[in-house]
Amino acid sequence: MQQQQHQQPEIFQENIDYSIKVPKRILSTTSNYIPVSSNLGHAVKVPLGAIIKPLAVPKENEEDVCVVQPGAAGIVRCKR
């Protein structure tokens, strides 16, 4: 009899730089704080939303926004 080897799936871990600040003209959210878990989000019932303008023209004397590669996780999309 041949034994089947059970391989553990690789765990994807991406390094995220939380120090990045996005200008309000590009990203505006309905809340300044985001719940850390879905349970907390359901408990507080704060509507979360965002207005995103990725192609906004930079203002005078302002740096252009860097392009970010999404990595192995792929493009983040909304689920409906």
Side-chain angles (χ1 to χ4, degrees), residues 34-78:
I34 307 294
V36 294
S37 69
S38 61
N39 289 341
L40 183 58
H42 290 299
V44 296
K45 298 182 181 180
V46 174
L48 299 176
I51 298 172
I52 304 169
K53 300 179 206 170
L55 302 176
V57 179
K59 291 183 179 179
E60 216 174 287
N61 298 327
E62 189 176 51
E63 282 186 40
D64 211 0
V65 177
C66 296
V67 175
V68 177
Q69 298 300 326
I75 297 171
V76 177
R77 299 195 185 276
C78 297

